[in-house]
Amino acid sequence: PTPLCPLPQFPHHLHRPRQHNPTRKKTTMLSSTLRRQIRRAVHLQARRSITTTKLFINGEFVESESKKWIDVYNPATQEVVTRVPEATQGEMEAAVQAAQNAFTPWSETSVTVRQRVMLNLQRLIRENEEELAKSIALENGKTFADAKGDVFRGLEVVESAANLAPAMMGETMQGLSASVDTFSIRQPLGVCAGICPFNFPAMIPLWMFPIAVTTGNTYVMKPSEKTPGATMLLCELAKEAGLPDGVLNIIHGGVDCFN
């Protein structure tokens, strides 16, 4: 018979059974925990580096004291580009009070002076059109060309506000009846407010406050919590154009804010 081939001999240490390592699983768990902690730390650091959107009250950009914040996302990348506060009750009241305090001197300012502010504003909007469009594209997701159209459609209203005096004239009528003459005077209302949607971040605010302030009113505006950037740029330009402190005020937030 054919002799059996001998089995190959291996060093003894290769035959040792694997010993249970009680620390192996624990080490793996600690590594997973450490990875989660690192990811959380990186996330928190990234959030700290994100700029916050300020309130605009009485001519000053103010950091909100709110404990509630809303992330604003770039629709194209889902990256957080800024955070807006849920304005507190006190901050809302401060904005209204600033508008109330500014109302009397502003309403007594001549129409020609108020129109001149709008002339300055339309010039500044033209000079900063691309910056406004970039902000809209970043937060709203529009193409750059569409964002520039957004700005332009609002600019047309500012141009109209710069020539608003004829529309503010009153009317008189003599001899309406026997010994009766009539006349009407158009006067500003007071503090006005506007709540803006997200879909036209520049056009809608420019449909609101330029006409209101040119006719002698003061304004409190809440832009969309999804697209606040354009409104903040516009209020900065309005201040540069010569709009007095308190005439235009900006607060932020969602449903709770304007309720």
Side-chain angles (χ1 to χ4, degrees), residues 117-191:
V117 174
M118 292 298 108
L119 281 171
N120 293 336
L121 179 59
Q122 64 85 26
R123 173 180 56 82
L124 290 170
I125 290 174
R126 290 182 183 277
E127 293 174 357
N128 293 272
E129 178 187 22
E130 291 203 355
E131 186 177 357
L132 285 161
K134 288 177 182 177
S135 174
I136 294 169
L138 179 67
E139 296 177 352
N140 181 272
K142 293 185 178 184
T143 63
F144 188 64
D146 194 10
K148 291 179 71 173
D150 189 325
V151 176
F152 179 75
R153 287 187 288 272
L155 176 62
E156 292 178 317
V157 179
V158 182
E159 292 172 338
S160 297
N163 188 36
L164 204 60
M168 297 172 60
M169 295 175 62
E171 297 177 347
T172 61
M173 180 174 291
Q174 294 179 327
L176 179 65
S177 183
S179 302
V180 175
D181 299 332
T182 66
F183 68 92
S184 64
I185 299 175
R186 297 188 176 184
Q187 297 179 324
L189 297 173
V191 178

Side-chain angles (χ1 to χ4, degrees), residues 8-245:
Q9 299 296 314
F10 296 98
H12 176 69
H13 69 276
L14 295 179
H15 291 286
R16 285 184 302 178
R18 177 175 293 180
Q19 296 180 354
H20 175 65
N21 185 352
T23 64
R24 183 181 300 276
K25 187 174 182 180
K26 184 177 181 182
T27 303
T28 303
M29 292 178 62
L30 288 175
S31 298
S32 299
T33 302
L34 184 59
R35 286 196 296 269
R36 286 195 297 270
Q37 291 174 345
I38 292 173
R39 285 196 298 268
R40 178 174 175 80
V42 171
H43 177 70
L44 291 175
Q45 182 62 34
R47 288 183 68 86
R48 292 191 190 101
S49 65
I50 296 170
T51 59
T52 57
T53 299
K54 307 293 189 295
L55 307 172
F56 187 70
I57 299 176
N58 200 29
E60 300 290 337
F61 290 95
V62 181
E63 188 72 60
S64 175
E65 297 179 356
S66 176
K67 304 300 182 183
K68 297 180 180 179
W69 293 79
I70 303 170
D71 291 338
V72 178
Y73 293 93
N74 178 345
T77 64
Q78 292 303 303
E79 293 177 326
V80 178
V81 295
T82 187
R83 302 174 69 215
V84 295
E86 285 270 10
T88 65
Q89 181 74 18
E91 290 166 344
M92 185 272 291
E93 292 174 354
V96 173
Q97 187 61 54
Q100 185 66 55
N101 294 341
F103 171 67
T104 298
W106 179 244
S107 62
E108 293 175 353
T109 301
S110 68
V111 178
T112 54
V113 171
R114 300 198 297 257
Q115 286 185 147
R116 194 171 299 120
V117 174
M118 292 298 108
L119 281 171
N120 293 336
L121 179 59
Q122 64 85 26
R123 173 180 56 82
L124 290 170
I125 290 174
R126 290 182 183 277
E127 293 174 357
N128 293 272
E129 178 187 22
E130 291 203 355
E131 186 177 357
L132 285 161
K134 288 177 182 177
S135 174
I136 294 169
L138 179 67
E139 296 177 352
N140 181 272
K142 293 185 178 184
T143 63
F144 188 64
D146 194 10
K148 291 179 71 173
D150 189 325
V151 176
F152 179 75
R153 287 187 288 272
L155 176 62
E156 292 178 317
V157 179
V158 182
E159 292 172 338
S160 297
N163 188 36
L164 204 60
M168 297 172 60
M169 295 175 62
E171 297 177 347
T172 61
M173 180 174 291
Q174 294 179 327
L176 179 65
S177 183
S179 302
V180 175
D181 299 332
T182 66
F183 68 92
S184 64
I185 299 175
R186 297 188 176 184
Q187 297 179 324
L189 297 173
V191 178
C192 302
I195 300 170
C196 302
F198 76 95
N199 51 338
F200 291 98
M203 183 183 74
I204 300 296
L206 291 175
W207 281 4
M208 292 183 174
F209 80 85
I211 298 295
V213 300
T214 307
T215 52
N217 301 286
T218 54
Y219 217 84
V220 177
M221 177 174 289
K222 192 205 81 68
S224 169
E225 67 277 12
K226 297 180 180 180
T227 54
T231 300
M232 299 311 295
L233 287 170
L234 289 171
C235 72
E236 186 176 352
L237 296 179
K239 181 178 175 65
E240 185 179 346
L243 199 65
D245 295 346

